[in-house]
């Protein structure tokens, strides 16, 4: 198991990436050898019942990395194949496949207002915006190592892991409208508070969590972690 999706109607998805650290007793910072056991599975979990409802096989998706749930539809990034697979979670069958046109299709988030997915492409320094109704795509150039993707205040925020910056992408113009430089070392994932005036960003290499104001687009607080989060 790798990444959890959003929560939709009490359900969450878990992608079966199939690559994981070898079990060990040392701290996470030791970075033990990785084990590869590819399974191409997507699990649907009921949070209230605390049980797996379904395990869906994903054909032509050797390393499902991240997922997003919208009603009966699940969207999964297929990292090696450079695409996003749409799956009907009721039937367990694929219903569409969207090409990202970029290497390392990694993490995704969804904007219900526009019907767009924003997919970070970690090996291509870009994000692909996908209209799930029409299938049209736009590629937005970003900084290196695009990682986390999250919709905040109607804009897609993308963490640029290798560059240490954060990009803000407007879904309507399909353009990067702001870049916040020198945020931290290897930012990977984030979310916002309920008011969406503060963004919380996990930084792996600098072992910290930082807070960014959505009004000033500056770092307002830093919290050190005991190990690499």
């Amino acid at each position: 198991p790798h990444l959890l999706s959003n929560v939709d109607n009490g359900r969450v998805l878990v992608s079966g990436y199939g690559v994981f650290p070898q079990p060990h007793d040392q701290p996470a910072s030791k970075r033990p050898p990785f084990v590869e056991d590819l399974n191409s599975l997507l699990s649907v979990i009921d949070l209230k019942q605390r049980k797996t409802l379904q395990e869906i096989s994903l054909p032509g998706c050797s390393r499902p990395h991240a997922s997003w749930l919208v009603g009966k539809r699940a969207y999964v990034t297929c990292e090696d194949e450079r695409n996003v697979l749409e799956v009907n979670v009721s039937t367990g069958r694929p219903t569409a496949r969207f090409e990202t046109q970029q290497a390392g299709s990694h993490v995704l988030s969804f904007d219900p207002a526009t019907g767009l997915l924003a997919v970070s492409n970690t090996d291509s320094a870009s994000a692909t915006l996908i209209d799930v109704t029409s299938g049209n795509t736009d590629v937005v150039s970003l900084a290196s190592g695009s990682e986390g993707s999250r919709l905040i205040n109607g804009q897609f925020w993308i963490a640029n892991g290798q560059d240490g910056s954060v990009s803000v992408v407007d879904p309507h113009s399909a353009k990067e409208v702001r870049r916040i430089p020198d945020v931290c070392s290897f930012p990977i994932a984030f979310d916002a508070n309920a008011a969406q005036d503060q963004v919380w960003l996990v930084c792996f290499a600098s072992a910290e969590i930082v807070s960014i104001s959505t009004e000033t687009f500056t770092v307002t607080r830093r919290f050190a972690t005991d190990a690499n989060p």
Side-chain angles (χ1 to χ4, degrees), residues 14-177:
V14 185
S15 54
Y17 190 61
V19 180
F20 53 93
Q22 179 178 310
H24 62 100
D25 295 326
Q26 293 77 30
S29 57
K30 295 294 184 181
R31 303 291 287 172
F34 276 63
V35 177
E36 183 172 276
D37 183 16
L38 303 183
N39 55 71
S40 299
L41 291 176
L42 183 70
S43 299
V44 184
I45 296 175
D46 186 296
L47 296 175
K48 186 175 182 179
Q49 299 181 60
R50 300 187 181 185
K51 71 175 186 178
T52 300
L53 299 177
Q54 195 173 5
E55 283 197 339
I56 300 171
S57 180
L58 304 174
C61 189
S62 57
R63 298 175 194 270
H65 187 270
S67 57
W68 199 270
L69 185 58
V70 184
K72 294 181 178 180
R73 296 171 294 160
Y75 297 95
V76 189
T77 53
C78 302
E79 202 167 66
D80 291 353
E81 292 80 8
R82 303 187 181 196
N83 58 44
V84 172
L85 190 64
E86 180 187 88
V87 179
N88 184 314
V89 295
S90 298
T91 64
R93 295 179 179 176
T95 51
R97 192 181 293 268
F98 305 99
E99 302 295 329
T100 65
Q101 308 170 42
Q102 303 287 286
S105 303
H106 204 55
V107 180
L108 76 171
S109 56
F110 180 70
D111 178 11
T114 61
L116 293 177
L117 287 169
V119 184
S120 66
N121 304 301
T122 191
D123 296 331
S124 301
S126 67
T128 301
L129 304 187
I130 301 172
D131 186 320
V132 298
T133 302
S134 68
N136 294 333
T137 60
D138 287 293
V139 176
V140 184
S141 295
L142 304 175
S144 59
S146 308
E147 282 276 343
S149 173
R150 184 66 65 177
L151 181 74
I152 299 169
N153 287 335
Q155 296 178 313
F156 290 114
W157 287 51
I158 310 289
N160 301 311
Q162 295 176 18
D163 184 67
S165 65
V166 170
S167 294
V168 181
V169 175
D170 175 50
H172 301 283
S173 64
K175 295 183 182 298
E176 181 187 36
V177 294

